[in-house]
């Protein structure tokens, strides 16, 4: 074995050997010139210069000689023998393609060892023994090397054990090499120590201590539970984690409480909501999983709290591992790994327990009685676990060895592959690491030398990065000269992110020294390759086939061999499915987007009735697949403990419902009669009463949420104040709040809509508010919204916004069942907001109120009857329609009998469709009936196509914009068969004609258009 240097401990061993043995031989790599018998000249530039290739070996020789003379009293000349003849490069044969080459003693490998690391040098004639490869990226580089290994083994009769792979950047190539070699079926062994930091046992010990020291934080607890040593299986831990996230469970008190976990999802804020049987069963399971999980951790915490020294902490941790039966579990994992052929993993599982026990012994032996805090013990244990490295033995007799330049056993290999020969790593830039900088080390070395006294042991310090930089050249020299017959050197032109890479300067010098050496360039596109390495293994060959067929389709260019690959794969039963998968991307096409009608009926219909909310049917009109994912597959995003916009809406809806009940009881249903101070008091009281029922008291859980609750109180007060001010100028008064429909116990009983084939559609929902005219037979629908929203006819036509019209239809039926025949006066959105105004000027209080009221004006549709509109809002300050003076033919105001100008709806009211005729409401209600039936038939017909809508006027607005299922559906407009359903605003006249055609209500068009022409 050839040495380069000896550290102080090794020098002490060598000293003992010199004092004991009769003769000691030390082999060092060095340049030398023989000057007769037993005389060797070593004072050569290759040895003496600090940057020289063999300077470190030369300094090691000087240190040994100095020790022999000064410490051991050796007086004679120390014999030095020069081994000048190179015996490694013997003749051998290798077949490349159809040509036979033979390495002679004067091969490229011999020339490389002689000239590559010397200054200068002229071109040499050798052309055998080395392969230079340039690849478009690292993946292609490693795949090409794997293919060449298979060529040598299959075609040349080499053994895997005769081949080695050297990499300079293990982070870039280690994982990639493992994946590629597994694909190519190449047995390999990584000649390196595995760090234990990511092993489940190390993670268990580290996270268990953190659970106790950091008050059972969510992340730490589940890091611990996911190590695989606890009773619950992975699926149960996922279920437990989802529950913890949904209800915001944090801290030791919650995890260890004796009371069962009974937090559950509330669907309303009504007091006394009952838990159904399924929910109770789920809660019992969750609580059982919680208790199984925390039992061992609770005992660990008790033991750690009782301990105060290293011995006590270590014993508590050991008892914890024994309670979890960690040795038994590790043995089970090792046996499973052995059965699956993962011998390295099996050895790791077995070795780590022994290494951990050795670490415990060291901790107790060195610091057993030392007092320290738990956090300090945690740091010491973590450092010890980080330092644990697992040495593995080779898994068999015939394997390729994968190693790094820094430390490896690839000595005198028959064939060697050097990967990643780029400028960034060969030579590698050495960075300063550790406490001392290189300047510090130099100063310390000079100080030690100055303080050295005669007869004392010499003290030295490593020169750190400075020394590593000078040793980099020798490291590369040794790696490039390990092969004795065949050397493969490759580099990539781009990294994983696509950033460009430059070849190493050594590659440039090799091409200058050996211009006739074989050179291969691997392009990114398969269609441009003509080498045989593509067909080395089945799986990569199928991948290459897909690329080749893509090239045939796009460029009408493909090598004939790919037809043979396709025919071969079709004949091999085990490769037919991988072939289809490999080609699926090439011939990707959207599916038919349907499931069998019988299956759809089983999924969506209960018996013969399709039940759903209006929102559900709107979701189908947006995208059938999104509807299928939400209501068929019932996919949901993981719920987390955070306040959402829907929670704000739920709370404010409940506040207004309760407030309306109080006003009806105490103020004769007259909102305008409630004093302002009383409104604020009631809103605060209601929010404080209802907030604890929302998401397991989320608004009381943290300071920021408690502050948010105060803001919600102000928003509720603003909304109530605005609605009260509107009530003062309106002849409509609230009659129903949060009126539910579609359930068996509701006041209104709707007949299901027949769909044919014996099926019917039943819709359900809740009307936020229904107001009645005090004198006339009209009713008004209000829908509360916490965000800005509007309604237009084209969204109704395409089924995207049906709620208000459905509420109008249900309201009519509700009143009819109560014996009242009323006509719709309108449908409005009422904003529950406290608007934030942006302005550069200062407003008076009156101006500010005017701006706020303008922001809160209620959009929607109002009956095109001036008296009804005035009954809704006499001031026309709370609804969108406006008034203007009627002009005669001379553009003068028309004066009425009362002497005041005659008023009518202004132009914007008609232009933007704020007012609608009774015939329009009748037509739209008929169309809602039609679109719901059509939607129900499509759902039961099995339509689950990924066909989202897209607004023509705004290409960026699609059903996919906020869809939570866009990562599931596979929709891609670039793939054949996928396409948006383009919709866009059209004139109301056109849409109403289409609606009349669908519903058979053409007779209504004359009245509608007649009114429009007269207004024009």
């Amino acid at each position: 074995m050839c040495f380069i240097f000896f550290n102080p401990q090794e020098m002490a061993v060598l000293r003992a050997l010199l004092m004991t043995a009769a003769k000691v031989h030390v082999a060092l790599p060095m340049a030398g010139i023989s000057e007769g018998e037993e005389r060797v000249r070593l004072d050569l530039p290759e040895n003496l210069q600090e940057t020289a290739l063999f300077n470190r070996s030369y300094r090691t020789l000087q240190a040994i000689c100095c020790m022999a003379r000064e410490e051991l009293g050796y007086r004679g000349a120390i014999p030095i023998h020069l081994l000048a003849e190179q015996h490694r490069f013997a003749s051998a044969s290798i077949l490349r393609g159809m040509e036979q080459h033979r390495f002679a003693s004067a091969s490229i490998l011999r020339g490389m060892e002689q000239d590559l690391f010397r200054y200068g040098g002229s071109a040499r004639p050798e052309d055998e023994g080395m392969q230079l490869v340039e690849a478009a990226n690292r993946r292609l580089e490693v795949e090409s090397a794997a293919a060449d290994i298979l060529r040598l083994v299959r075609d040349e009769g080499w053994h895997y054990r005769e081949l080695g792979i050297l990499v300079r950047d293990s982070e870039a190539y280690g994982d990639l090499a493992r994946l590629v070699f597994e694909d190519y079926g190449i047995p390999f062994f990584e000649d390196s120590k595995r760090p234990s930091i990511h092993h489940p046992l190390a993670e268990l010990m580290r996270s268990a201590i953190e659970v106790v020291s950091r008050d059972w934080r969510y992340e730490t607890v589940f890091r611990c539970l996911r190590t695989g040593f606890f009773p619950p299986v992975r699926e149960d831990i996922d279920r437990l984690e989802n529950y913890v996230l949904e209800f915001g469970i944090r801290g030791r008190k919650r995890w260890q409480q004796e009371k069962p976990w009974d937090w559950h999802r509330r669907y309303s804020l009504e007091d006394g909501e009952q838990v159904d049987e399924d929910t109770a069963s789920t809660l019992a399971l969750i609580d059982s999983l919680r208790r199984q999980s925390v039992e061992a951790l609770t005992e660990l915490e008790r033991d750690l709290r009782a301990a105060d020294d290293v011995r006590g902490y270590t014993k508590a941790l050991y008892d914890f591992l024994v309670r979890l039966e960690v040795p038994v579990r590790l043995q089970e994992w090792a046996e499973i790994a052995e059965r699956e052929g993962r011998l390295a993993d099996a050895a790791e599982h077995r070795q780590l327990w022994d290494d951990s026990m050795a670490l415990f012994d060291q901790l107790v032996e060195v610091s057993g009685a030392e007092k320290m805090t738990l956090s300090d013990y945690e740091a010491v244990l973590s450092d010890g676990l980080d330092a644990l490295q697992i040495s593995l033995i080779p898994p068999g007799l015939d394997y390729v060895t994968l190693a790094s330049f820094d430390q490896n056993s690839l000595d005198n290999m028959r064939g060697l592959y050097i990967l990643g020969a780029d400028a960034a790593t060969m030579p590698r830039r050495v960075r300063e690491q550790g406490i001392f900088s290189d300047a510090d080390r130099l100063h310390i070395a000079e100080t030690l030398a100055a303080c050295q006294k005669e007869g004392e042991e010499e003290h030295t310090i490593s020169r750190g990065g400075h020394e590593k930089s000078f040793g980099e050249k020798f490291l590369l020299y040794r790696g490039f000269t390990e092969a004795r017959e065949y050397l493969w050197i490759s580099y990539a032109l781009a990294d994983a992110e696509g950033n460009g890479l430059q070849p190493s300067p050594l590659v440039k010098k090799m091409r200058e020294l050996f211009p006739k050496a074989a050179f291969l360039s691997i392009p990114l596109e398969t269609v441009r390759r003509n080498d045989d390495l593509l067909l080395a293994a089945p799986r990569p060959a199928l991948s290459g086939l897909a690329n080749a067929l893509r090239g045939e389709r796009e460029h009408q260019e493909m090598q004939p061999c790919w037809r043979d690959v396709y025919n071969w794969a079709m004949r091999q039963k085990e490769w037919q499915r991988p072939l289809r998968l490999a080609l699926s991307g090439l011939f990707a096409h959207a599916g038919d987007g349907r499931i069998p009608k019988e299956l759809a009926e089983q999924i969506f219909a209960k018996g013969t009735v399709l039940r759903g909310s209006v929102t559900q049917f709107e979701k189908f009109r947006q995208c059938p697949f999104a509807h299928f994912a939400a209501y068929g597959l019932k996919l949901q995003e993981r719920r987390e403990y955070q306040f959402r916009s829907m929670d704000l809406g739920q709370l404010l809806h409940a506040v207004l419902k309760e407030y309306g009940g109080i006003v009806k009881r105490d103020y004769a249903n007259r909102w305008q009669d409630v004093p302002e101070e009383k409104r604020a008091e009631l809103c605060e009281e209601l929010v404080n009463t209802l907030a604890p029922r929302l998401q397991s008291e989320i608004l009381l859980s943290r300071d920021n949420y408690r502050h948010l609750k105060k803001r919600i109180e102000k928003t509720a007060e603003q909304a109530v104040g605005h609605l009260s001010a509107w009530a003062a100028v309106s002849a409509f008064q609230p009659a129903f709040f949060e009126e539910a429909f579609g359930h068996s116990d509701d006041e209104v009983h709707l007949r299901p809509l027949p769909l044919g084939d014996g099926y019917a559609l039943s819709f359900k929902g809740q009307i936020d508010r229904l107001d009645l005219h005090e004198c006339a037979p009209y009713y008004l629908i209000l829908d509360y919204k916490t965000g800005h929203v509007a309604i237009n006819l084209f969204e109704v036509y395409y089924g995207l916004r049906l709620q208000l019209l459905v509420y109008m239809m249900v309201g009519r039926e509700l009143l009819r069942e109560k014996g009242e025949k009323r006509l719709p006066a309108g449908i409005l959105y009422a904003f529950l907001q406290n608007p934030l105004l942006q302005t550069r000027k200062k407003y008076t209080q009156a101006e500010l109120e005017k701006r706020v009221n303008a922001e809160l004006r209620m959009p929607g549709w109002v009956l095109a009857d001036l008296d009804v509109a005035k009954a809704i809002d006499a001031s026309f300050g709370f609804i969108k329609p406006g008034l203007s003076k009627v002009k005669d033919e001379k553009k003068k105001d028309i004066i009425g009998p009362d002497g005041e100008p005659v008023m009518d709806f202004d132009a914007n009211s008609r232009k933007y469709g704020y007012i609608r005729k009774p015939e329009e409401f009748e037509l739209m209600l008929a169309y809602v009936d039609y679109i719901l039936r059509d939607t129900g038939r499509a759902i039961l017909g099995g339509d689950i196509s990924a066909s989202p809508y897209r607004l023509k006027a705004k290409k960026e607005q699609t059903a996919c914009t906020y869809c939570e299922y866009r990562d599931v559906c596979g929709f891609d407009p670039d793939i054949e068969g996928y396409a948006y359903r383009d919709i866009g605003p059209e004139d109301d006249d056109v849409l109403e004609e289409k609606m009349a055609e669908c519903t058979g209500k053409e007779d209504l068009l004359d009245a509608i258009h007649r009114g429009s022409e007269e207004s024009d």
Side-chain angles (χ1 to χ4, degrees):
M1 181 177 181
C2 189
F3 293 93
I4 304 170
F5 73 99
F6 298 99
N7 62 35
Q9 290 81 7
E10 292 168 341
M11 287 295 286
V13 173
L14 183 59
R15 182 185 297 109
L17 287 174
L18 292 173
M19 295 175 64
T20 305
K23 185 177 290 187
V24 177
H25 295 272
V26 181
L28 296 167
M30 222 173 301
I33 299 176
S34 179
E35 296 182 340
E37 295 184 2
E38 298 186 1
R39 283 182 58 83
V40 179
R41 180 184 173 188
L42 299 177
D43 55 342
L44 302 175
E46 292 90 338
N47 300 331
L48 298 178
Q49 293 179 4
E50 190 175 25
T51 60
L53 187 62
F54 303 113
N55 178 259
R56 197 172 192 187
S57 301
Y58 182 75
R59 287 190 286 111
T60 301
L61 173 63
Q62 297 301 313
I64 294 173
C65 293
C66 180
M67 180 180 65
R69 292 191 181 99
E70 297 181 5
E71 298 183 28
L72 305 179
Y74 188 82
R75 296 289 177 254
I78 297 177
I80 298 176
H81 300 280
L82 180 65
L83 302 178
E85 186 177 354
Q86 179 60 264
H87 296 281
R88 286 200 301 131
F89 303 118
S91 62
S93 62
I94 183 170
L95 188 66
R96 181 174 299 280
M98 298 301 294
E99 300 179 6
Q100 184 174 3
H101 298 269
R102 188 168 296 277
F103 290 123
S105 58
S107 68
I108 284 181
L109 301 182
R110 178 182 293 276
M112 181 182 299
E113 186 173 43
Q114 293 172 353
D115 293 342
L116 181 60
F117 292 90
R118 287 182 178 176
Y119 293 106
S122 56
R124 300 173 64 109
E126 293 92 339
D127 62 353
E128 301 172 353
M130 181 176 70
Q131 175 73 64
L132 285 173
V133 179
E134 170 187 273
N137 56 46
R138 286 170 176 161
R139 175 86 189 198
L140 285 174
E141 179 188 0
V142 179
E143 287 181 346
S144 300
D148 195 62
I149 289 172
L150 291 179
R151 179 188 64 81
L152 290 177
V153 172
R154 286 198 300 232
D155 299 346
E156 300 302 321
W158 288 36
H159 296 285
Y160 288 117
R161 63 176 177 270
E162 297 175 315
L163 300 168
I165 298 175
L166 276 179
V167 296
R168 195 73 182 96
D169 188 351
S170 298
E171 291 185 4
Y173 284 89
D175 293 338
L176 187 57
R178 284 191 288 273
L179 292 173
V180 170
F181 286 177
E182 288 173 1
D183 273 352
Y184 279 74
I186 297 175
F188 67 95
F189 168 67
E190 293 182 73
D191 185 14
S192 61
K193 293 183 177 181
R194 286 192 182 187
S196 67
I197 185 172
H198 298 303
H199 191 277
L201 176 55
E203 182 62 26
L204 173 68
M205 291 187 282
R206 188 181 287 107
S207 59
I209 298 290
E210 289 181 16
V211 167
V212 177
S213 64
R214 302 183 186 182
D215 194 32
W216 294 66
R217 289 170 51 185
Y218 151 74
E219 297 84 357
T220 307
V221 170
F222 281 97
R223 272 177 47 210
C224 191
L225 296 182
R226 290 191 180 282
T227 55
F229 294 101
F230 289 82
V233 297
R234 182 172 297 276
E235 291 77 10
D236 288 336
I237 292 175
D238 290 340
R239 188 177 289 111
L240 182 63
E241 183 179 17
N242 288 338
Y243 184 86
V244 168
L245 283 174
E246 180 174 357
F247 296 101
I249 298 171
R250 300 289 188 275
R252 177 176 62 86
K253 184 178 179 180
R254 288 285 183 93
W255 277 98
Q256 295 185 3
Q257 70 179 38
E258 286 299 321
K259 179 184 176 183
W261 280 2
D262 58 359
W263 301 286
H264 61 281
R265 192 180 305 176
R266 299 179 66 109
Y267 295 96
S268 74
L269 299 186
E270 298 289 340
D271 193 16
E273 183 180 77
Q274 298 297 316
V275 177
D276 59 35
E277 188 175 332
D278 290 342
T279 301
S281 175
T282 300
L283 291 175
L285 173 62
I286 292 295
D287 191 64
S288 173
L289 294 175
R290 185 260 302 193
R291 295 181 186 276
Q292 293 177 44
S293 301
V294 304
E295 181 180 359
L297 286 170
T298 301
E299 294 183 15
L300 171 65
E301 181 177 38
R302 180 199 61 205
D303 295 343
L304 289 175
R305 299 295 183 194
D308 61 352
D309 58 17
V310 172
R311 185 185 304 275
Y313 292 142
T314 306
K315 183 178 184 303
L317 185 57
Y318 173 79
D319 292 341
F320 168 72
L321 299 179
V322 172
R323 279 194 292 269
L324 289 178
E325 299 182 339
V326 169
V328 176
R329 188 65 58 87
L330 288 173
Q331 180 61 30
E332 292 174 355
W333 291 354
E335 293 173 357
I336 293 172
E338 283 181 344
R339 289 196 296 269
E340 295 177 352
R342 297 181 287 110
L343 302 182
D345 291 340
E348 182 179 7
H349 294 320
R350 290 194 173 96
Q351 184 178 337
L352 191 56
W353 174 258
D354 295 335
D355 291 348
S356 299
M357 294 303 100
L359 174 62
F360 283 4
D361 291 340
Q362 293 174 15
L363 288 172
V364 173
E365 182 179 352
V366 174
S367 308
E370 183 178 344
K371 307 289 185 181
M372 65 171 59
T373 63
L374 183 58
S375 59
D376 289 339
Y377 179 79
E378 177 189 338
V380 172
L381 177 68
S382 181
D383 289 342
L385 293 174
D386 290 346
L388 287 182
Q389 290 186 325
I390 303 168
S391 300
L392 302 176
I393 60 174
L397 297 177
D398 198 20
Y399 55 86
V400 175
T401 301
L402 174 64
S404 68
F405 273 81
D406 300 284
Q407 185 174 2
N408 63 77
S409 58
L410 300 181
D411 187 34
N412 203 28
M413 299 297 292
R414 186 179 181 186
L416 189 66
Y417 292 78
I418 295 177
L419 307 181
D422 56 71
T425 56
M426 294 186 187
R428 172 182 288 173
R429 298 178 182 86
V430 178
R431 299 178 179 176
E432 295 183 4
Q433 292 181 336
I435 298 176
F436 298 128
S437 66
D438 287 352
D440 295 334
R441 291 176 178 275
L442 180 61
H443 177 71
I444 293 172
E446 292 174 350
T447 303
L448 289 175
C451 298
Q452 180 70 35
K453 294 182 179 179
E454 186 175 353
E456 290 184 351
E457 181 180 354
E458 182 180 1
H459 298 283
T460 61
I461 185 172
S462 169
R463 291 183 291 175
H466 185 71
E467 190 168 274
K468 289 180 180 179
S469 296
F470 293 149
E472 179 74 8
K473 183 188 291 186
F474 181 81
L475 202 64
L476 296 175
Y477 163 79
R478 187 180 64 180
F480 276 81
T481 57
E482 295 283 6
R484 69 174 189 268
E485 289 188 25
Y486 178 60
L487 179 65
W488 166 292
I489 301 170
S490 61
Y491 58 90
L493 297 177
D495 61 14
E497 289 75 32
N499 301 315
L501 298 174
Q502 296 295 323
S504 168
L506 294 175
V507 173
K508 180 180 179 182
K509 186 169 184 180
M510 278 186 279
R511 299 196 68 175
E512 292 174 351
L513 288 174
F514 310 105
K516 297 181 179 180
F519 178 79
L520 178 63
S521 180
I522 308 294
L524 183 62
E525 296 184 9
T526 305
V527 68
R528 299 180 181 177
R529 293 182 60 175
N530 56 9
D531 56 273
D532 295 337
L533 298 180
L534 272 172
L535 309 181
R539 192 174 300 278
L542 294 181
S543 177
L545 172 62
N547 292 330
L549 290 173
R550 185 176 291 108
E552 169 70 17
R553 187 178 66 180
E554 296 176 359
H555 308 290
Q556 291 74 50
E557 180 181 358
M558 186 177 73
Q559 298 290 336
C561 63
W562 292 113
R563 293 181 175 84
D564 298 329
V565 172
Y566 179 83
N567 293 332
W568 171 85
M570 288 299 294
R571 291 194 299 269
Q572 309 298 318
K573 185 176 180 180
E574 66 273 21
W575 291 107
Q576 290 178 6
R577 185 171 182 273
L579 175 65
R580 289 194 297 271
L581 289 175
L583 300 182
S584 61
L586 180 62
F587 304 107
H589 189 281
D592 60 1
R594 305 196 70 82
I595 58 176
K597 184 175 183 294
E598 296 76 13
L599 178 59
E601 291 168 351
Q602 293 177 19
I603 293 175
F604 294 108
K606 291 184 178 180
T608 59
V609 179
L610 169 61
R611 303 181 187 276
S613 65
V614 181
T615 303
Q616 174 178 343
F617 301 127
E618 289 176 341
K619 175 70 77 174
F620 181 86
R621 306 308 298 195
Q622 294 171 13
C623 176
F625 183 85
H627 169 268
F628 173 67
Y631 300 99
L633 299 178
K634 302 187 185 304
L635 302 181
Q636 295 181 355
E637 289 184 318
R638 172 187 273 180
R639 294 175 64 96
E640 296 191 12
Y641 194 65
Q642 58 186 10
F643 192 79
R644 300 157 298 172
S645 58
M646 62 181 298
D647 297 319
L648 174 62
Q650 184 181 13
L651 180 57
L652 290 177
H653 277 65
V655 167
L656 288 176
K657 178 183 179 182
E658 296 296 326
Y659 182 88
I662 294 172
V663 173
K664 185 175 182 179
R665 182 191 66 205
D666 299 340
Y667 294 91
N669 206 28
R670 291 180 58 82
W671 286 47
Q672 63 271 32
D673 291 346
V674 182
E676 184 176 350
E677 299 78 10
K678 186 62 176 179
R679 290 202 303 263
E681 180 184 332
L682 285 174
C683 287
E684 181 180 359
E685 180 183 334
L686 289 172
V687 170
N688 288 333
T689 301
L690 296 171
R693 305 174 192 172
L694 185 69
Q695 263 209 71
S696 303
E697 303 182 351
I698 187 171
L699 287 176
L700 307 179
S701 63
R702 297 201 296 262
D703 288 341
N704 62 323
Y705 281 148
R706 284 189 284 271
H707 174 69
L708 177 60
K709 185 173 74 69
K710 292 292 185 182
R711 291 172 53 193
I712 293 173
E713 292 173 10
K714 295 298 182 182
T715 301
E717 184 181 346
Q718 170 66 45
V720 167
H722 186 74
L723 292 172
S724 299
W726 172 51
V729 295
S730 177
F732 284 82
Q733 295 298 328
F736 300 93
F737 291 99
E738 305 294 330
E739 187 65 32
F741 58 88
H743 308 91
S744 58
D745 55 348
D746 294 331
E747 283 195 46
V748 57
H749 300 89
L750 304 174
R751 287 184 315 217
L753 304 178
L755 302 178
D757 296 332
Y759 286 89
L761 180 145
S762 175
F763 49 86
K764 59 185 178 180
Q766 187 170 270
I767 302 174
D768 291 341
R769 176 169 156 178
L770 188 152
D771 289 10
L772 300 180
H773 195 294
E774 295 174 333
C775 303
Y778 292 101
Y779 68 94
L780 180 67
I781 298 293
L782 260 68
D783 193 32
Y784 295 139
K785 294 295 181 184
T786 55
H788 282 286
V789 70
I791 187 171
N792 53 63
L793 199 60
F794 89 87
E795 288 183 314
V796 172
Y797 175 75
Y798 289 106
L800 304 178
R801 201 174 295 279
L802 302 174
Q803 274 189 330
L804 281 179
L805 288 169
V806 169
Y807 295 165
M808 178 185 286
M809 183 167 57
V810 174
R812 182 177 61 184
E813 186 62 28
L814 171 64
L815 295 171
R816 184 180 298 159
E817 290 186 5
K818 291 183 176 295
E820 296 189 47
K821 187 175 182 181
R822 291 179 178 258
L823 300 174
I827 46 179
L828 299 173
Y829 288 117
F831 295 135
L832 308 183
Q833 301 173 355
N834 200 353
L836 179 64
L837 303 179
Q838 296 182 351
T839 179
R840 294 183 179 180
K841 61 175 288 188
K842 186 175 182 180
Y843 287 105
T844 64
Q845 184 63 29
E847 291 174 332
L848 188 61
E849 290 179 0
K850 184 177 180 180
R851 282 286 307 274
V852 170
N853 288 336
E855 292 288 328
L856 295 177
R857 291 179 73 178
M858 296 181 287
W861 291 330
V862 173
L863 191 65
D865 184 312
L866 193 58
D867 292 334
V868 173
K870 287 180 179 180
I872 295 174
D873 178 11
S875 67
F876 282 85
F878 294 90
I879 58 177
K880 287 288 187 178
L883 295 178
S884 65
K885 298 177 182 179
V886 179
K887 306 289 185 180
D888 59 15
E889 295 178 355
K890 297 181 179 181
K891 304 298 184 182
K892 292 183 179 182
D893 296 343
I894 298 178
I895 305 301
D898 57 357
E900 296 294 330
V902 176
M903 306 296 290
D904 198 359
F905 293 110
D906 60 15
N908 284 340
S909 300
R910 294 183 171 88
K911 177 180 179 181
Y912 296 113
Y914 296 146
I915 56 176
R916 298 288 174 178
K917 295 185 175 300
E919 294 81 5
E920 289 181 281
F921 279 138
E922 185 179 350
L923 175 61
M924 286 186 279
L925 290 177
Y927 184 75
V928 167
D929 182 282
Y930 163 81
I931 198 72
L932 287 174
R933 293 172 192 258
D934 184 69
T935 302
R937 295 188 188 99
I939 292 173
L940 296 181
D943 185 0
I944 60 167
S945 60
S947 55
Y949 79 85
R950 177 174 63 179
L951 291 181
K952 293 179 181 177
K954 298 179 180 180
K955 290 292 185 181
E956 71 281 358
Q957 185 175 342
T958 73
C960 302
T961 304
Y962 302 107
C963 181
E964 56 192 346
Y965 307 109
R966 56 188 170 189
D967 295 329
V968 180
C969 66
F971 177 81
D972 185 348
D974 294 331
I975 295 178
E976 186 178 354
Y978 285 116
Y980 287 107
R981 287 184 293 111
D982 285 324
I983 64 175
E986 298 181 68
D987 291 340
D988 285 0
D989 292 346
V990 176
L991 293 173
E992 286 170 343
E993 288 178 3
K994 291 181 178 180
M995 290 181 177
E997 184 179 349
C998 293
T999 59
K1001 296 287 185 178
E1002 290 88 349
D1003 56 310
L1004 297 174
L1005 293 177
D1006 292 337
I1008 295 173
H1009 292 163
R1010 188 186 316 117
S1012 301
E1013 292 168 1
E1014 291 173 0
S1015 63
D1016 293 341

